[in-house]
Amino acid sequence: MSYDKVEVPEDGEAITLADEETGELDVPENPIIPIIHGDGIGTDVGPAAQQVLDAAAEATGRSIAWMRVYAGASARDKYGENLPEDTVSAIREHRVAIKGPLTTPVGSGFRSLNVALRKTLDAYANVRPTYYLDGVPSPVKAPEKMDMVIFRENTEDVYAGIEWEAGTDEVETVRAFVEDEMGVDDVIHDGPVGIGIKPITEFGSKRLIREAFDYALENDRDSVTLVHKGNIMKFTEAAFRDWGYELAEEEYGDELITEDELWDEHDGDQPEGTVVVKDRIADNMLQQVLTRTDEYDVIATMNLNGDYFSDAAGAQIGGLGIAPGINRGHGRALAEPVHGSAPKYAGEDKVNPTAMILSGREMLDYLGWKDAADLVRDAVEETISSGKVTYDLHRQIDGGEKLATSEFADAIVENIEKLS
Ligand code: NAD
């Protein structure tokens, strides 16, 4: 494919789909990987992540041929548009990419570029690994108990964008339909109303939960917890739970066991190689994540619950500067940190690039480069636990050495060289 607004690196090869059915990729040793540095602090954390990921690739005998693509402010400056078609096509064609944060204006202006990108790639699973790194200051007593991977559904729920504004003809049409055709009386108060629709499909639920089950089995995890509010929302959130158990039975046989089976048939002694499937009500789960942290492992949940839950869990292990993420679809992935563009710190070479670097680590893992991924994690942990940190962590610890974004990236690269 040729592009006007993207330069294709000459020293790399494209990642291709090896198996249409499973989504498995064929990854060369020098893959072309599109990168969006992003808006605001993206200009600081983007290059820092690139430097660290290059070092990890090199230390494991590989290389990354970066393909700079543009979105947000950088695309407006260069091409006068927010999201050039070439950016989307390059990411689609090359299958695995990484992006920094993009600014979204509240209430007006253009719709979120992040949402647009995830939608175009049909990246239906937002995966947020939430684990503790030694040395990171935390607001809880035992942050090391946290080691969860949260799978948040990315395309449905009240986030699907099916909603109508108060005072419009459309919303009154929906109100009339609900009241007159569906017979829902005395629920919607008189006067202006905004209405949204919450679609939860069997297809969307099962493909998300399948990703979580497969991940748990491949990575020797103990359990997958389906988090829902099915006691109140019976036909959406309870359906998600039911489809999860149905999928476990239909496709996984003895590899997956329910919590009841664990106790009734195995006296609580989990057989080797199995994953326990359990479910919890969302509000209870927000307590349990604090009080019984180490009883939870892989989590699968819908869009809104997942948004709240992953930020709450992320706070326990050090918050926004640390929390990584990756959006995964069928043979496609887009890694991105959880944090936004924090415009007031943009270009100051000050903020913490850990979240972007660890998102890159998830990307390496998705490529199947587990050795390089582990090296990144170990080098980041080694750097932070030796007291070398950026300002956000430095102000929360005693002593330590306050480093700029670029100096912190240099220190991680040094540790990669030492550890490899
Ligand atoms: P934000 O994450 O940008 O910043 C909130 C605060 O968190 C910052 O002021 C800063 O104190 C801290 N912070 C964030 N990242 C940090 C880092 N790497 N190191 C140190 N401290 C860090 O959230 P916001 O202010 O609500 O959003 C700003 C913009 O970012 C908005 O336009 C929003 O829409 C966008 N946003 C984008 C994404 C994305 O691209 N995926 C995600 C969230 C927000």
CSV table of all heavy atoms in Angstrom, one decimal, residues 72-98:
chain,number,residue,atom,x,y,z
A,72,GLY,N,-4.5,14.0,15.9
A,72,GLY,CA,-4.6,15.1,16.9
A,72,GLY,C,-3.8,16.3,16.4
A,72,GLY,O,-3.7,16.6,15.2
A,73,ALA,N,-3.2,17.0,17.4
A,73,ALA,CA,-2.5,18.3,17.1
A,73,ALA,C,-1.4,18.2,16.1
A,73,ALA,O,-1.3,19.0,15.2
A,73,ALA,CB,-1.9,18.9,18.4
A,74,SER,N,-0.6,17.1,16.1
A,74,SER,CA,0.5,17.0,15.2
A,74,SER,C,-0.1,16.8,13.8
A,74,SER,O,0.5,17.3,12.8
A,74,SER,CB,1.4,15.8,15.6
A,74,SER,OG,0.6,14.6,15.5
A,75,ALA,N,-1.2,16.1,13.6
A,75,ALA,CA,-1.8,16.0,12.3
A,75,ALA,C,-2.4,17.3,11.8
A,75,ALA,O,-2.4,17.6,10.6
A,75,ALA,CB,-2.9,14.9,12.4
A,76,ARG,N,-3.0,18.1,12.7
A,76,ARG,CA,-3.6,19.4,12.3
A,76,ARG,C,-2.4,20.3,11.8
A,76,ARG,O,-2.6,21.0,10.8
A,76,ARG,CB,-4.3,20.0,13.5
A,76,ARG,CG,-5.7,19.4,13.8
A,76,ARG,CD,-6.5,20.3,14.7
A,76,ARG,NE,-6.0,20.4,16.0
A,76,ARG,CZ,-6.1,19.5,17.0
A,76,ARG,NH1,-6.7,18.4,16.7
A,76,ARG,NH2,-5.6,19.8,18.2
A,77,ASP,N,-1.3,20.3,12.6
A,77,ASP,CA,-0.2,21.1,12.2
A,77,ASP,C,0.4,20.7,10.8
A,77,ASP,O,0.7,21.5,10.0
A,77,ASP,CB,1.0,21.0,13.2
A,77,ASP,CG,0.7,21.7,14.5
A,77,ASP,OD1,-0.3,22.4,14.5
A,77,ASP,OD2,1.4,21.4,15.5
A,78,LYS,N,0.5,19.4,10.6
A,78,LYS,CA,1.1,18.9,9.4
A,78,LYS,C,0.2,18.9,8.2
A,78,LYS,O,0.5,19.2,7.1
A,78,LYS,CB,1.7,17.5,9.7
A,78,LYS,CG,3.2,17.4,9.5
A,78,LYS,CD,3.6,16.0,9.9
A,78,LYS,CE,4.5,15.3,8.9
A,78,LYS,NZ,5.8,16.0,8.7
A,79,TYR,N,-1.1,18.4,8.4
A,79,TYR,CA,-2.0,18.1,7.3
A,79,TYR,C,-3.3,18.9,7.4
A,79,TYR,O,-4.2,18.7,6.5
A,79,TYR,CB,-2.2,16.6,7.2
A,79,TYR,CG,-0.9,15.8,7.1
A,79,TYR,CD1,-0.5,14.9,8.0
A,79,TYR,CD2,-0.2,16.0,5.9
A,79,TYR,CE1,0.6,14.2,7.9
A,79,TYR,CE2,1.0,15.3,5.8
A,79,TYR,CZ,1.4,14.4,6.7
A,79,TYR,OH,2.6,13.6,6.6
A,80,GLY,N,-3.5,19.6,8.5
A,80,GLY,CA,-4.8,20.4,8.6
A,80,GLY,C,-6.0,19.5,8.8
A,80,GLY,O,-7.1,19.9,8.6
A,81,GLU,N,-5.8,18.3,9.4
A,81,GLU,CA,-6.9,17.4,9.7
A,81,GLU,C,-6.6,16.6,11.0
A,81,GLU,O,-5.4,16.4,11.3
A,81,GLU,CB,-7.3,16.5,8.6
A,81,GLU,CG,-6.2,15.7,8.0
A,81,GLU,CD,-6.6,14.9,6.8
A,81,GLU,OE1,-7.7,14.3,6.8
A,81,GLU,OE2,-5.8,14.7,5.9
A,82,ASN,N,-7.6,16.2,11.7
A,82,ASN,CA,-7.4,15.5,13.0
A,82,ASN,C,-6.9,14.1,12.9
A,82,ASN,O,-6.0,13.7,13.7
A,82,ASN,CB,-8.7,15.5,13.8
A,82,ASN,CG,-9.0,16.8,14.4
A,82,ASN,OD1,-8.2,17.4,15.0
A,82,ASN,ND2,-10.3,17.2,14.3
A,83,LEU,N,-7.5,13.4,12.0
A,83,LEU,CA,-7.2,12.0,11.8
A,83,LEU,C,-7.1,11.6,10.4
A,83,LEU,O,-8.1,11.2,9.8
A,83,LEU,CB,-8.3,11.1,12.6
A,83,LEU,CG,-8.0,9.6,12.7
A,83,LEU,CD1,-6.7,9.3,13.4
A,83,LEU,CD2,-9.1,8.9,13.4
A,84,PRO,N,-5.9,11.8,9.7
A,84,PRO,CA,-5.8,11.5,8.3
A,84,PRO,C,-6.1,10.0,8.0
A,84,PRO,O,-5.8,9.1,8.8
A,84,PRO,CB,-4.3,11.7,8.0
A,84,PRO,CG,-3.8,12.6,9.1
A,84,PRO,CD,-4.7,12.3,10.3
A,85,GLU,N,-6.8,9.8,6.9
A,85,GLU,CA,-7.2,8.4,6.5
A,85,GLU,C,-5.9,7.5,6.4
A,85,GLU,O,-6.0,6.4,6.8
A,85,GLU,CB,-7.9,8.5,5.2
A,85,GLU,CG,-8.6,7.2,4.7
A,85,GLU,CD,-9.4,6.5,5.8
A,85,GLU,OE1,-10.1,7.1,6.5
A,85,GLU,OE2,-9.2,5.2,5.9
A,86,ASP,N,-4.8,8.1,6.0
A,86,ASP,CA,-3.5,7.4,5.9
A,86,ASP,C,-3.1,6.8,7.3
A,86,ASP,O,-2.5,5.7,7.3
A,86,ASP,CB,-2.4,8.2,5.3
A,86,ASP,CG,-2.4,8.2,3.8
A,86,ASP,OD1,-3.3,7.6,3.2
A,86,ASP,OD2,-1.5,8.9,3.2
A,87,THR,N,-3.3,7.6,8.3
A,87,THR,CA,-3.0,7.1,9.7
A,87,THR,C,-3.8,5.8,10.0
A,87,THR,O,-3.2,4.8,10.5
A,87,THR,CB,-3.3,8.2,10.7
A,87,THR,OG1,-2.4,9.3,10.5
A,87,THR,CG2,-3.0,7.7,12.1
A,88,VAL,N,-5.1,5.9,9.8
A,88,VAL,CA,-5.9,4.8,10.1
A,88,VAL,C,-5.6,3.6,9.2
A,88,VAL,O,-5.4,2.4,9.7
A,88,VAL,CB,-7.4,5.1,9.9
A,88,VAL,CG1,-8.3,4.0,10.1
A,88,VAL,CG2,-7.8,6.3,10.8
A,89,SER,N,-5.3,3.8,7.9
A,89,SER,CA,-5.0,2.7,7.0
A,89,SER,C,-3.7,2.1,7.3
A,89,SER,O,-3.5,0.9,7.3
A,89,SER,CB,-4.9,3.2,5.5
A,89,SER,OG,-6.0,4.0,5.2
A,90,ALA,N,-2.7,2.9,7.7
A,90,ALA,CA,-1.4,2.4,8.1
A,90,ALA,C,-1.5,1.5,9.3
A,90,ALA,O,-0.9,0.4,9.4
A,90,ALA,CB,-0.4,3.5,8.3
A,91,ILE,N,-2.2,1.9,10.3
A,91,ILE,CA,-2.4,1.1,11.5
A,91,ILE,C,-3.2,-0.2,11.2
A,91,ILE,O,-2.8,-1.3,11.6
A,91,ILE,CB,-3.1,1.9,12.6
A,91,ILE,CG1,-2.2,3.1,13.1
A,91,ILE,CG2,-3.4,1.0,13.8
A,91,ILE,CD1,-2.7,4.0,14.1
A,92,ARG,N,-4.2,-0.1,10.3
A,92,ARG,CA,-4.9,-1.3,10.0
A,92,ARG,C,-4.1,-2.3,9.2
A,92,ARG,O,-4.0,-3.4,9.5
A,92,ARG,CB,-6.1,-0.9,9.0
A,92,ARG,CG,-7.4,-0.4,9.8
A,92,ARG,CD,-8.5,-0.2,8.8
A,92,ARG,NE,-9.0,-1.5,8.3
A,92,ARG,CZ,-9.8,-2.3,8.9
A,92,ARG,NH1,-10.3,-1.9,10.1
A,92,ARG,NH2,-10.2,-3.4,8.4
A,93,GLU,N,-3.3,-1.7,8.3
A,93,GLU,CA,-2.4,-2.6,7.4
A,93,GLU,C,-1.4,-3.3,8.3
A,93,GLU,O,-1.1,-4.5,8.1
A,93,GLU,CB,-1.8,-1.8,6.3
A,93,GLU,CG,-1.0,-2.7,5.4
A,93,GLU,CD,-0.1,-2.0,4.4
A,93,GLU,OE1,-0.2,-0.8,4.3
A,93,GLU,OE2,0.7,-2.7,3.7
A,94,HIS,N,-0.8,-2.6,9.2
A,94,HIS,CA,0.4,-3.1,10.0
A,94,HIS,C,0.0,-3.8,11.2
A,94,HIS,O,0.8,-4.4,11.9
A,94,HIS,CB,1.4,-2.0,10.2
A,94,HIS,CG,2.0,-1.6,8.8
A,94,HIS,ND1,3.0,-2.4,8.2
A,94,HIS,CD2,1.7,-0.6,8.0
A,94,HIS,CE1,3.3,-1.8,7.1
A,94,HIS,NE2,2.5,-0.8,6.9
A,95,ARG,N,-1.3,-3.7,11.6
A,95,ARG,CA,-1.9,-4.6,12.6
A,95,ARG,C,-1.5,-4.3,14.1
A,95,ARG,O,-2.4,-4.5,15.0
A,95,ARG,CB,-1.6,-6.1,12.3
A,95,ARG,CG,-2.2,-6.5,11.0
A,95,ARG,CD,-2.3,-8.0,10.9
A,95,ARG,NE,-3.3,-8.3,9.8
A,95,ARG,CZ,-4.6,-8.5,10.0
A,95,ARG,NH1,-5.0,-8.6,11.3
A,95,ARG,NH2,-5.4,-8.7,9.1
A,96,VAL,N,-0.3,-4.0,14.4
A,96,VAL,CA,0.1,-3.7,15.8
A,96,VAL,C,0.7,-2.3,15.8
A,96,VAL,O,1.6,-2.0,15.1
A,96,VAL,CB,1.1,-4.8,16.3
A,96,VAL,CG1,1.5,-4.5,17.7
A,96,VAL,CG2,0.4,-6.2,16.2
A,97,ALA,N,0.2,-1.5,16.7
A,97,ALA,CA,0.7,-0.1,16.8
A,97,ALA,C,0.7,0.4,18.2
A,97,ALA,O,0.1,-0.3,19.1
A,97,ALA,CB,-0.2,0.8,15.9
A,98,ILE,N,1.3,1.5,18.5
A,98,ILE,CA,1.3,2.1,19.8
A,98,ILE,C,1.0,3.6,19.7
A,98,ILE,O,1.4,4.2,18.7
A,98,ILE,CB,2.6,1.9,20.5
A,98,ILE,CG1,2.6,2.5,21.9
A,98,ILE,CG2,3.8,2.3,19.7
A,98,ILE,CD1,3.7,2.0,22.8
